[in-house]
Amino acid sequence: MACFTRFAALLSFLALVPLCLSAKTMGGYLYPQFYDHSCPRVQEIVKSVVAKAVAREARTAASLLRLHFHDCFVKGCDASLLLDSTGSIVSEKMSNPNRNSARRFEVLDEIKSALEKECPHTVSCADILALAARDSTVLTGGPSWEVPLGRRDSREASLSGSNNNIPAPNNTFQTILTKFKLQGLDIVDLVALSGSHTIGNSRCTSFRQRLYNQTGNGKPDFTLDQSYAAQLRGRCPRSGGDQNLFFLDFVSPVHFDNSYFKNLLAYKGLLNSDQILVTQNQASMELVKKYAENNELFFEQFAKSMVKMGNVSPLTGSRGEIRKNCRKINSH
């Protein structure tokens, strides 16, 4: 009888194992309760600072979401993007995808400062990025999810990784899919995560070629709705106006929803990297159609894909460090 009881107990333990290990990573585990004892108010503090920042400037939500994405695609989710240049470090902020574009680093400084007061040397900048991305999504009307925590911060940055790994607006579909696959993400993740372009802005310089010279023949991109293209040309001239901002989703630019996918089906995706989800691959086009028809399905998959992306090669255990200041490594 005792044997049977032990066996039953073992079975019930094994039934729980997949839940506990769902965020297993190289060298450790991430789990939502990581700070429950060491810093119980962490989520409340992050949310409060993000909410104030988004209230001051709606664009902040998209900026913070993008920082998490640009961090995870370079050496994993380790806050390497937040490091400023020093004698030994060339900052990822100087890369083509980030220069004059990645922004709102001061919001993360504010969160870090509040957390250092609350529970010194406990919460990593990498975890702050992951939580701020989730809170930004929720604050703009998007889905929520439990963020697995326990990442540590990198002591180095990779400018070349930032230049090479982050998908660019003019990449082909295959190039972008390859960049996602290198992070362990698939075509479903690619389409769902592209849906983050339902909020935020893009600069004229990121899509100008579509308006005037898509393939080097002096002609505009024929896959762009012509009335929409004419409207864009009004504020994105052939030369000059590089920094002029345009909504990525002109229908509901500060509201997180599936109108981004509806725009793609109407050939009104702003970036080439958006529109090719419909024009260059059948499987991705089918996913776009599904998410355009069903907002709930999009939200569900976006949350899953964000957790998956947040689990890309984090530093755990004794690897890396907990930075006191997100912009620089600790002095040892």
Side-chain angles (χ1 to χ4, degrees), residues 304-332:
K304 282 182 192 163
S305 293
M306 283 296 289
V307 170
K308 193 170 166 188
M309 184 185 79
N311 287 339
V312 173
S313 309
L315 299 171
T316 54
S318 60
R319 294 154 69 219
E321 64 181 17
I322 305 296
R323 283 185 222 141
K324 293 188 184 98
N325 176 337
C326 290
R327 293 173 181 266
K328 56 187 188 182
I329 59 171
N330 298 336
S331 47
H332 293 291

CSV table of all heavy atoms in Angstrom, one decimal, residues 304-332:
chain,number,residue,atom,x,y,z
A,304,LYS,N,1.4,34.1,-26.5
A,304,LYS,CA,2.3,32.9,-26.5
A,304,LYS,C,3.7,33.2,-27.1
A,304,LYS,O,4.7,32.8,-26.6
A,304,LYS,CB,1.6,31.8,-27.3
A,304,LYS,CG,0.5,31.1,-26.6
A,304,LYS,CD,0.0,30.0,-27.5
A,304,LYS,CE,-1.3,29.4,-27.0
A,304,LYS,NZ,-2.1,28.6,-28.0
A,305,SER,N,3.6,33.9,-28.3
A,305,SER,CA,4.9,34.2,-29.0
A,305,SER,C,5.8,35.2,-28.2
A,305,SER,O,7.0,35.1,-28.3
A,305,SER,CB,4.6,34.8,-30.4
A,305,SER,OG,3.9,33.8,-31.2
A,306,MET,N,5.1,36.1,-27.4
A,306,MET,CA,5.9,37.0,-26.6
A,306,MET,C,6.7,36.2,-25.5
A,306,MET,O,7.8,36.5,-25.2
A,306,MET,CB,5.1,38.1,-26.0
A,306,MET,CG,4.7,39.2,-27.0
A,306,MET,SD,6.1,40.2,-27.6
A,306,MET,CE,6.6,41.1,-26.1
A,307,VAL,N,6.0,35.3,-24.9
A,307,VAL,CA,6.6,34.4,-23.8
A,307,VAL,C,7.8,33.7,-24.5
A,307,VAL,O,8.9,33.6,-23.9
A,307,VAL,CB,5.6,33.5,-23.2
A,307,VAL,CG1,6.3,32.5,-22.3
A,307,VAL,CG2,4.6,34.3,-22.4
A,308,LYS,N,7.5,33.1,-25.7
A,308,LYS,CA,8.5,32.3,-26.4
A,308,LYS,C,9.8,33.2,-26.7
A,308,LYS,O,10.9,32.8,-26.5
A,308,LYS,CB,7.9,31.7,-27.6
A,308,LYS,CG,8.7,30.7,-28.3
A,308,LYS,CD,7.9,30.0,-29.4
A,308,LYS,CE,8.7,29.2,-30.3
A,308,LYS,NZ,7.9,28.7,-31.5
A,309,MET,N,9.5,34.4,-27.2
A,309,MET,CA,10.6,35.3,-27.5
A,309,MET,C,11.4,35.7,-26.3
A,309,MET,O,12.6,35.8,-26.3
A,309,MET,CB,10.1,36.6,-28.2
A,309,MET,CG,11.2,37.5,-28.7
A,309,MET,SD,10.6,39.0,-29.4
A,309,MET,CE,10.2,40.0,-27.9
A,310,GLY,N,10.6,36.0,-25.2
A,310,GLY,CA,11.3,36.3,-23.9
A,310,GLY,C,12.1,35.2,-23.3
A,310,GLY,O,12.9,35.5,-22.4
A,311,ASN,N,12.0,34.0,-23.8
A,311,ASN,CA,12.8,32.9,-23.4
A,311,ASN,C,14.0,32.6,-24.3
A,311,ASN,O,14.7,31.6,-24.1
A,311,ASN,CB,11.9,31.6,-23.4
A,311,ASN,CG,10.9,31.6,-22.2
A,311,ASN,OD1,11.1,32.3,-21.3
A,311,ASN,ND2,9.9,30.8,-22.4
A,312,VAL,N,14.3,33.5,-25.2
A,312,VAL,CA,15.5,33.3,-26.1
A,312,VAL,C,16.8,33.6,-25.3
A,312,VAL,O,17.1,34.7,-24.9
A,312,VAL,CB,15.4,34.3,-27.3
A,312,VAL,CG1,16.7,34.2,-28.1
A,312,VAL,CG2,14.2,34.0,-28.2
A,313,SER,N,17.5,32.5,-25.1
A,313,SER,CA,18.8,32.5,-24.5
A,313,SER,C,19.1,33.5,-23.3
A,313,SER,O,20.0,34.2,-23.4
A,313,SER,CB,19.9,32.8,-25.6
A,313,SER,OG,19.7,32.0,-26.7
A,314,PRO,N,18.2,33.5,-22.3
A,314,PRO,CA,18.5,34.4,-21.2
A,314,PRO,C,19.7,33.9,-20.4
A,314,PRO,O,20.0,32.7,-20.4
A,314,PRO,CB,17.2,34.3,-20.4
A,314,PRO,CG,16.7,32.9,-20.6
A,314,PRO,CD,17.1,32.6,-22.0
A,315,LEU,N,20.3,34.8,-19.7
A,315,LEU,CA,21.4,34.4,-18.7
A,315,LEU,C,20.7,34.1,-17.4
A,315,LEU,O,19.8,34.9,-17.0
A,315,LEU,CB,22.3,35.6,-18.5
A,315,LEU,CG,23.1,36.1,-19.8
A,315,LEU,CD1,23.9,37.4,-19.5
A,315,LEU,CD2,24.0,35.0,-20.3
A,316,THR,N,21.0,33.0,-16.8
A,316,THR,CA,20.4,32.6,-15.5
A,316,THR,C,21.4,32.1,-14.6
A,316,THR,O,22.6,32.0,-14.9
A,316,THR,CB,19.3,31.5,-15.7
A,316,THR,OG1,19.9,30.4,-16.4
A,316,THR,CG2,18.1,32.1,-16.5
A,317,GLY,N,21.0,31.8,-13.3
A,317,GLY,CA,21.9,31.3,-12.4
A,317,GLY,C,23.0,32.2,-12.0
A,317,GLY,O,22.7,33.4,-11.5
A,318,SER,N,24.3,31.9,-12.2
A,318,SER,CA,25.4,32.8,-11.9
A,318,SER,C,25.9,33.5,-13.1
A,318,SER,O,26.9,34.2,-13.0
A,318,SER,CB,26.5,32.0,-11.1
A,318,SER,OG,26.9,31.0,-12.0
A,319,ARG,N,25.3,33.3,-14.2
A,319,ARG,CA,25.8,33.9,-15.5
A,319,ARG,C,25.4,35.4,-15.5
A,319,ARG,O,24.3,35.7,-15.0
A,319,ARG,CB,25.3,33.2,-16.7
A,319,ARG,CG,25.9,31.7,-16.8
A,319,ARG,CD,25.0,30.8,-17.6
A,319,ARG,NE,25.0,31.1,-19.0
A,319,ARG,CZ,23.9,31.1,-19.7
A,319,ARG,NH1,22.8,30.7,-19.2
A,319,ARG,NH2,24.0,31.4,-21.0
A,320,GLY,N,26.2,36.2,-16.1
A,320,GLY,CA,25.8,37.7,-16.1
A,320,GLY,C,25.8,38.3,-14.7
A,320,GLY,O,26.5,37.8,-13.8
A,321,GLU,N,25.0,39.3,-14.6
A,321,GLU,CA,25.0,40.0,-13.3
A,321,GLU,C,23.6,40.7,-13.2
A,321,GLU,O,22.8,40.7,-14.1
A,321,GLU,CB,26.1,41.1,-13.2
A,321,GLU,CG,26.0,42.2,-14.2
A,321,GLU,CD,27.1,43.2,-14.2
A,321,GLU,OE1,28.2,42.9,-13.5
A,321,GLU,OE2,27.0,44.3,-14.7
A,322,ILE,N,23.3,41.3,-12.0
A,322,ILE,CA,22.2,42.2,-11.9
A,322,ILE,C,22.8,43.6,-11.9
A,322,ILE,O,23.4,44.1,-10.9
A,322,ILE,CB,21.4,42.0,-10.5
A,322,ILE,CG1,21.0,40.5,-10.4
A,322,ILE,CG2,20.2,42.9,-10.4
A,322,ILE,CD1,20.0,40.0,-11.4
A,323,ARG,N,22.6,44.3,-13.0
A,323,ARG,CA,23.2,45.7,-13.0
A,323,ARG,C,22.5,46.6,-12.0
A,323,ARG,O,21.3,46.6,-11.9
A,323,ARG,CB,23.0,46.3,-14.4
A,323,ARG,CG,24.0,45.7,-15.4
A,323,ARG,CD,23.8,46.5,-16.8
A,323,ARG,NE,23.9,45.5,-17.9
A,323,ARG,CZ,23.1,45.5,-19.0
A,323,ARG,NH1,22.2,46.4,-19.1
A,323,ARG,NH2,23.3,44.6,-19.9
A,324,LYS,N,23.3,47.5,-11.4
A,324,LYS,CA,22.7,48.6,-10.6
A,324,LYS,C,22.1,49.7,-11.4
A,324,LYS,O,21.2,50.4,-11.1
A,324,LYS,CB,23.8,49.1,-9.6
A,324,LYS,CG,24.3,48.1,-8.6
A,324,LYS,CD,25.2,48.8,-7.6
A,324,LYS,CE,25.8,47.8,-6.6
A,324,LYS,NZ,27.2,47.4,-7.0
A,325,ASN,N,22.8,49.9,-12.6
A,325,ASN,CA,22.4,50.9,-13.5
A,325,ASN,C,22.3,50.2,-14.9
A,325,ASN,O,23.3,49.6,-15.3
A,325,ASN,CB,23.4,52.0,-13.5
A,325,ASN,CG,23.2,53.1,-14.6
A,325,ASN,OD1,22.5,52.9,-15.6
A,325,ASN,ND2,23.7,54.3,-14.4
A,326,CYS,N,21.1,50.3,-15.5
A,326,CYS,CA,20.9,49.5,-16.8
A,326,CYS,C,21.9,50.0,-17.9
A,326,CYS,O,22.1,49.2,-18.8
A,326,CYS,CB,19.5,49.7,-17.2
A,326,CYS,SG,18.3,48.8,-16.1
A,327,ARG,N,22.4,51.2,-17.8
A,327,ARG,CA,23.3,51.7,-18.9
A,327,ARG,C,24.7,51.2,-18.8
A,327,ARG,O,25.5,51.4,-19.7
A,327,ARG,CB,23.3,53.2,-18.9
A,327,ARG,CG,21.9,53.8,-19.3
A,327,ARG,CD,21.9,55.3,-19.1
A,327,ARG,NE,20.5,55.8,-19.5
A,327,ARG,CZ,20.2,56.3,-20.7
A,327,ARG,NH1,21.1,56.3,-21.6
A,327,ARG,NH2,19.0,56.7,-20.9
A,328,LYS,N,25.1,50.7,-17.6
A,328,LYS,CA,26.5,50.3,-17.5
A,328,LYS,C,26.7,49.0,-16.6
A,328,LYS,O,25.9,48.8,-15.7
A,328,LYS,CB,27.4,51.4,-17.0
A,328,LYS,CG,26.9,52.0,-15.7
A,328,LYS,CD,27.7,53.3,-15.3
A,328,LYS,CE,27.4,53.7,-13.9
A,328,LYS,NZ,28.1,54.9,-13.5
A,329,ILE,N,27.8,48.3,-16.9
A,329,ILE,CA,28.0,47.1,-16.1
A,329,ILE,C,28.5,47.5,-14.7
A,329,ILE,O,29.0,48.6,-14.6
A,329,ILE,CB,29.0,46.1,-16.8
A,329,ILE,CG1,30.4,46.8,-17.0
A,329,ILE,CG2,28.5,45.6,-18.1
A,329,ILE,CD1,31.5,45.9,-17.5
A,330,ASN,N,28.3,46.6,-13.8
A,330,ASN,CA,28.8,47.0,-12.4
A,330,ASN,C,30.3,47.0,-12.4
A,330,ASN,O,30.9,46.2,-13.1
A,330,ASN,CB,28.3,45.9,-11.4
A,330,ASN,CG,26.7,45.8,-11.4
A,330,ASN,OD1,26.1,46.8,-11.7
A,330,ASN,ND2,26.2,44.7,-11.0
A,331,SER,N,30.9,47.8,-11.5
A,331,SER,CA,32.3,47.8,-11.4
A,331,SER,C,32.7,46.8,-10.3
A,331,SER,O,32.1,46.8,-9.2
A,331,SER,CB,32.8,49.2,-11.0
A,331,SER,OG,32.1,49.7,-9.9
A,332,HIS,N,33.5,45.9,-10.6
A,332,HIS,CA,33.8,44.8,-9.7
A,332,HIS,C,35.1,45.1,-9.0
A,332,HIS,O,36.0,45.6,-9.6
A,332,HIS,CB,33.9,43.4,-10.5
A,332,HIS,CG,32.6,43.0,-11.0
A,332,HIS,ND1,31.5,42.6,-10.2
A,332,HIS,CD2,32.1,43.0,-12.3
A,332,HIS,CE1,30.5,42.4,-10.9
A,332,HIS,NE2,30.8,42.6,-12.2
